[in-house]
Amino acid sequence: MPRTRLTLAQARRIALAAQGFAEARPDAATSRHLNRTLGRSHLLQIDSVNVLVRAHYMPLFSRLGAYDRDLLEKTAYHRRKRNTFEYWGHEASLIRLDLHPLFRWRMARAARGEGIYGGIARFGHEKRAFIEEVRREIEARGPIGAGELSIGGKGEGSWWGWSDGKRALEWLFWAGEVTTATRRGFERLYDLPERVLPSPILDMPTPPEDEAQRELLRLSIRALGIASERCLRDYFRLEAADAKARIPELVEAGDLIPVTVEGWNGPVYLDPQARLPRKVEVRALVSPFDPIVWERTRTERLFDFRYRIEIYTPAEKREFGYYCLPFLLGERIVARLDLKADRAAGRLVVHSVHPEDGIHPDEIAAPLSAELRLMAEWLGLTGIIAPKDWARRLNL
């Protein structure tokens, strides 16, 4: 039976629709809008970089506009209304609470020292008695931060210069024996899952490992719309061997439809429920931690946009800037902007704007100006500054 053939433009529209970009932004976003967006993407990546705004806030802004960030805080960590838990989904993530059972196999592997960062795995093997002592202190005193532990010492100064106490907490977190009760600023406060997560969630049956992986891949294709094997396993960071075993089973079951896409080599899979809009009219700045650009090879294939975050690149070697955000307009990524929130001065700083090849600056100036003004308003900033040529174009 011949495979369905899709053009690149069709694949782009499917991908954008799957991520909610085919829908108009609400006039005023409510908790219902946030829950619907989270229900579509399944998780929000967390990252420590705060040059503009924390990573988990941005995907909601890109889709909903200037929503109240307190809406997320009130549901993400609220004791009774909580709808997320923190765990390793796509890196550290806020994950839909109802998906907790699907990650227990990963927790079990971590407890065995599998699928976990090497240093933490070794620490878990060598320091079991100490880790149990830390767990008992959390049980007695939680929720507390790593720096409040009475044992374990202090870190060595750098972000990754963890103390033994912090290493123990990370092992316990990987293994699902502690979780994030809330955050103080950006610091995790750890507690036992039974004191943080609702009992109906903890009481849900734990699916077998293979079925949990199949369901995570079903959720991945629903969130992506169209994807290669690499894209599918990247969404929830499944091991290659696990994905290779599960994907043929999902094809056999009709949960993945093999298709061909113009210019896209190798197997490509379509969500059986994928929407193919006739047109997508999006205007959005998206962060480096947005699901639409997570898997960089997919971004390059779909949008002809080669994207690398340059945070860890020495300043003199950066091509586009420290924190560059792609600008989606229509169905294309048309530019990238290096942005910073200067909170002390109350200004959104546009360090640079780099239109893509073939895009004239004047084509994108008006919608870009509108999006920057919306972002500044959302962040509580009173003005925008940009290089002179762009300040003129953006009418700042």
Side-chain angles (χ1 to χ4, degrees), residues 54 73 77 86 143-149 180-190:
R54 297 288 185 194
E73 294 299 317
Y77 298 108
E86 280 195 26
I144 61 173
E148 297 171 282
L149 288 171
T180 307
T182 188
R183 283 183 178 257
R184 182 170 51 209
F186 194 65
E187 179 191 16
R188 270 190 196 141
L189 299 186
Y190 298 88

Side-chain angles (χ1 to χ4, degrees), residues 197-211:
L197 305 181
S199 55
I201 295 295
L202 294 176
D203 292 342
M204 291 173 69
T206 300
E209 187 172 288
D210 58 346
E211 178 50 36

Side-chain angles (χ1 to χ4, degrees), residues 317-332:
K317 294 183 179 180
R318 289 178 193 139
E319 185 178 1
F320 299 109
Y322 180 82
Y323 196 71
C324 266
L325 281 70
F327 181 44
L328 269 168
L329 187 62
E331 299 173 7
R332 304 164 64 193

Side-chain angles (χ1 to χ4, degrees), residues 2 37 39 58 97 101 129 134 148 165 169 189-190 217 226 231 242 244 283-284 286 298 345 352 368 384:
T37 304
M58 265 299 297
L97 187 57
V134 169
E148 297 171 282
L169 286 169
L189 299 186
Y190 298 88
L217 287 165
I226 191 165
C231 304
D242 293 326
K244 285 182 182 296
R283 188 198 80 197
V286 298
R298 182 174 188 263
S352 62
L368 180 55
I384 305 170

Side-chain angles (χ1 to χ4, degrees), residues 244-265:
K244 285 182 182 296
R246 304 284 83 84
I247 285 174
E249 299 167 352
L250 293 171
V251 171
E252 179 70 21
D255 294 321
L256 295 174
I257 301 175
V259 296
T260 59
V261 177
E262 171 193 359
W264 199 329
N265 297 325

Side-chain angles (χ1 to χ4, degrees), residues 355-376:
E356 289 298 285
D357 290 344
I359 301 295
H360 193 281
D362 291 343
E363 292 179 59
I364 62 174
L368 180 55
S369 176
E371 191 68 7
L372 288 169
R373 292 173 192 277
L374 185 68
M375 175 174 278

Side-chain angles (χ1 to χ4, degrees), residues 87-88 106-107 109-128 130-131 159-176 178 188 190:
Y87 192 60
W88 296 101
R106 183 170 284 172
M107 296 171 186
R109 282 190 182 181
R112 299 193 299 267
E114 302 169 17
I116 188 172
Y117 295 148
I120 298 298
R122 287 191 298 275
F123 186 86
H125 177 72
E126 297 167 0
K127 302 280 189 176
R128 286 299 177 94
F130 175 76
I131 289 171
W159 180 258
W160 297 109
W162 286 349
S163 67
D164 280 354
K166 174 62 174 174
R167 291 185 181 94
L169 286 169
E170 285 300 311
W171 189 93
L172 289 164
F173 184 81
W174 266 103
V178 302
R188 270 190 196 141
Y190 298 88

